[in-house]
Structure formats: C-alpha cells, structure tokens
Amino acid sequence: MKAVKIQPGKTVGVEEAPLPTLRESQILVKIAAVAINPTDWKHVEHGFGGGPGSTVGCDLAGTVEKAGPHSRFAPGDRVASIVQGCVASDPTSGAFAEYAAVDEHAAFKLPADMSFEDAASLPVALVTTGLAFHDLGIPATLEPVRRGEPILVYGGATSVSQAFIQFAKALGFEVITTASERNREYLTKLGADHIIDYHDTDKCIAGIKAALNGRELKLAHDGISEGDSFRIVFSSVTPGPDTRVTLVLYLPASDVPSGITATTPNGTLALGRAVDYAGMHFPASPELAKAHAEFTLLGEKAIANGVVKPQEIKKLPGGLDGIKDALALLKEGGGSRAKLVLTIS
C-alpha cells in the first residue's frame, strides 16, 4: 500500500509500505477520506512521537476490509475512527495511507447518507470531547440531565469545540462560547446560547460575566489554550473544589490558579496503549479507553439521530500526494472553522 511518511528534513512524502498487522480487537479499514489536524504538522515539524519512517495522520473514514469473528463490525461496513499517527514503535500506524489498523472501540458506523469526507471530520473531535466530558465529570448521555447549568466553551469555532457545543446542548447545558463575529450565526445554529467576541480580553471577560448574570461557573473547556485564552477562562470560572477546566494544550500545574482543576485530554490515550509524546511518557489508561469506548457508542447514536452534525469541510485535491500541501495550509491558518479533508479512494 501507499502511505504518507515523515521524511528527513521535517517534511513528508508518499512511500510504499506493508499492510498493517492487526492486533487483537482491531479491524482493517480501506481508507476513503482523511482530515488534517494541527497535531499532524506539529508531529512532523517538532518530532513529537515517531521520526522519519512513521506514518502521519489521526482522522480517517472508510470501509471495513477485515474484522474478527466476534467483532460488531463486518466487511463492507462504513466507519470512521481515530488512529495514532507518528508512532515510533509502529511505523504502519497512521491515517494517511490506503489502509489502517483501527481499534474496534474507537470506530463508529456511519449513516448511509453521510459522505466519507464529512465523516472524516469527526473522530478526533469526538474523542477529545468524550475525554473532556470524562475529566469534567459530565455523564456520557444524550439526556438533558444538566438543564440550564452554564458551561463555557472558549474558541467555539474549533473542530473540537463544535462537537463539544452540540453534545453540551443535548445534555441541557446553557452554552457560553467565544468566537469572531463572523462565526456568530454558525455557532448559534450549533446550539450556543451566548457568543462573546474574544478580541478584547477585558470585554470578553465582562461579556461572559454578563451572560452568567451572577451565577457561578464551574465547568469550562478551553479549545485554544494559547495566549489570552488562559486569562479569560480562569478569570471567568468560580474557584472551588468542583471547578474543572479542560485544555487542548498542556499547561504546567504551577500556572493554574488555586481553586481550579485543569486537565488536558490526550486522545491517543483513549486507544488503551502507552504514549510517548513531546518528550513525555504517558502510561496506558484502561479507564480512559473504557470512557472512550462508551462515548464512541454515544457518538454513533448522536450522529445517527442528527443530534451531532459534522463540521463544515474544505475538500483539497491530490489524495495522499496532496497531504504535504494540506499540512502547510493548516499550519498557515487555512483551516479556520472548516476542516481540511482529502479523498483517498
């Protein structure tokens, strides 16, 4: 098969590669479409995870080619999933290829009317949302069990935040989010109740406080985790033993104000294996793998019922040969709101 591999000199190229070997409880998927995530180009440029020879990519959609006798999947099923890209110990692990070994508990079936390109925009967003809900103590359900409770989603137009908003609304949360004015109508359709412009930090904090109208804010998700986002989020929540914030980038514990518990969900830990990333070692977490398995089934149901919809996508040409340019485009900011996707087969 062909696969996009990291090359010397912090770049990528298409190479011939062997088919991945399936572990127990994995399925073989013929990849039809992939999506580009910031972590993809960061792995290539900064050497996170595997180096030259590693396969790149996390988001995929395609058709099951092979499944075990006790699998809930069968050959021909249309699925989407997250996989771990850029793995030093397994150079075949990654989404940007013609085939991938996919963990069954991470894969979800697609509605008949959903394109592979739309589906490829979902897996990383779903796994990160699911792990964020786990860290925030939010139950994996589509019932309105948190009706009227405020929650802050900073950076509402990001891929993860779009999924987060839709799930939060299904649970009954009153969603306060931040975004540019041009994204107001779009995020309103996703279910956001209050949309605050983030460009002026002090005005943004004041806008969030106004939306709270004197209520305490105990839960927040920072979908940017850079620059002024920390100040805005930490200034908006009410410190206390039950106050929790999830981030998408790591922040030293010493930088987190007292009275706030801040965690960074790591989507690759949801696959149930240890992860070496950016010079750090994360041991395998059966707890997170179980939480992800439960949320994946919930996500499959939410997508089938139309509760959660794919985000806008921007289709790019070239298939696997177009991945290099797609990574450069995303790095330069070309993926605002719309997910960059490529058709593979």
Side-chain angles (χ1 to χ4, degrees):
M1 71 171 187
K2 295 184 183 299
V4 176
K5 302 278 190 175
I6 297 179
Q7 306 294 318
K10 300 181 179 180
T11 187
V12 298
V14 179
E15 298 181 6
E16 289 291 336
L19 283 174
T21 301
L22 298 184
R23 294 186 175 96
E24 186 178 357
S25 299
Q26 284 189 324
I27 54 177
L28 182 66
V29 174
K30 182 178 182 181
I31 299 171
V34 299
I36 311 295
N37 292 281
T39 189
D40 299 327
W41 69 260
K42 291 177 182 178
H43 270 92
V44 175
E45 291 218 353
H46 302 309
F48 299 160
S54 300
T55 305
V56 189
C58 302
D59 265 333
L60 65 83
T63 304
V64 176
E65 286 276 307
K66 183 179 180 181
H70 304 296
S71 174
R72 78 182 187 98
F73 299 101
D77 284 347
R78 302 169 71 251
V79 299
S81 183
I82 182 177
V83 295
Q84 185 181 358
C86 302
V87 182
S89 60
D90 184 2
T92 66
S93 180
F96 300 161
E98 292 179 318
Y99 293 88
V102 169
D103 292 280
E104 286 189 20
H105 77 274
F108 54 92
K109 297 179 181 180
L110 308 181
D113 60 350
M114 180 176 287
S115 72
F116 286 122
E117 288 76 13
D118 281 334
S121 75
L122 287 167
V124 166
L126 287 183
V127 66
T128 309
T129 296
L131 295 184
F133 273 33
H134 171 271
D135 286 0
L136 294 171
I138 300 172
T141 179
L142 298 177
E143 299 300 320
V145 295
R146 307 298 280 269
R147 191 181 301 277
E149 181 180 343
I151 191 168
L152 173 63
V153 184
Y154 187 91
T158 69
S159 176
V160 172
S161 292
Q162 289 181 46
F164 193 108
I165 288 170
Q166 293 179 81
F167 276 103
K169 282 303 294 182
L171 270 75
F173 280 102
E174 181 178 328
V175 177
I176 304 168
T177 192
T178 65
S180 298
E181 187 62 31
R182 63 187 176 85
N183 289 320
R184 176 176 296 276
E185 181 179 357
Y186 179 76
L187 294 177
T188 299
K189 290 179 180 178
L190 290 186
D193 297 287
H194 308 275
I195 301 164
I196 315 298
D197 193 299
Y198 64 88
H199 289 93
D200 185 306
T201 298
D202 291 332
K203 288 183 179 179
C204 183
I205 295 171
I208 294 169
K209 296 291 188 182
L212 289 169
N213 194 26
R215 294 173 295 171
E216 291 187 336
L217 178 64
K218 293 293 189 178
L219 300 176
H221 173 71
D222 184 348
I224 301 295
S225 303
E226 291 181 337
D228 288 338
S229 76
F230 298 121
R231 180 188 164 201
I232 291 171
V233 172
F234 292 151
S235 297
S236 299
V237 297
T238 308
D242 299 324
T243 300
R244 303 179 185 180
V245 174
T246 49
L247 312 171
V248 294
L249 296 175
Y250 289 98
L251 184 69
S254 58
D255 292 341
V256 179
S258 61
I260 299 172
T261 299
T263 59
T264 305
N266 186 330
T268 53
L269 284 177
L271 299 179
R273 293 183 288 278
V275 175
D276 292 301
Y277 179 81
M280 297 178 285
H281 177 75
F282 300 90
S285 174
E287 177 187 353
L288 292 183
K290 180 181 178 182
H292 177 45
E294 293 174 353
F295 201 83
T296 297
L297 293 176
L298 183 74
E300 183 176 288
K301 179 181 177 181
I303 294 165
N305 294 343
V307 174
V308 172
K309 299 177 175 61
Q311 70 179 98
E312 290 183 359
I313 62 173
K314 181 178 181 179
K315 297 180 183 180
L316 300 178
L320 293 177
D321 291 320
I323 294 290
K324 182 177 180 179
D325 289 341
L327 293 172
L329 178 61
L330 184 61
K331 180 186 175 183
E332 294 164 3
S336 178
R337 194 170 92 182
K339 192 91 166 186
L340 304 181
V341 301
L342 298 94
T343 302
I344 304 303
S345 64

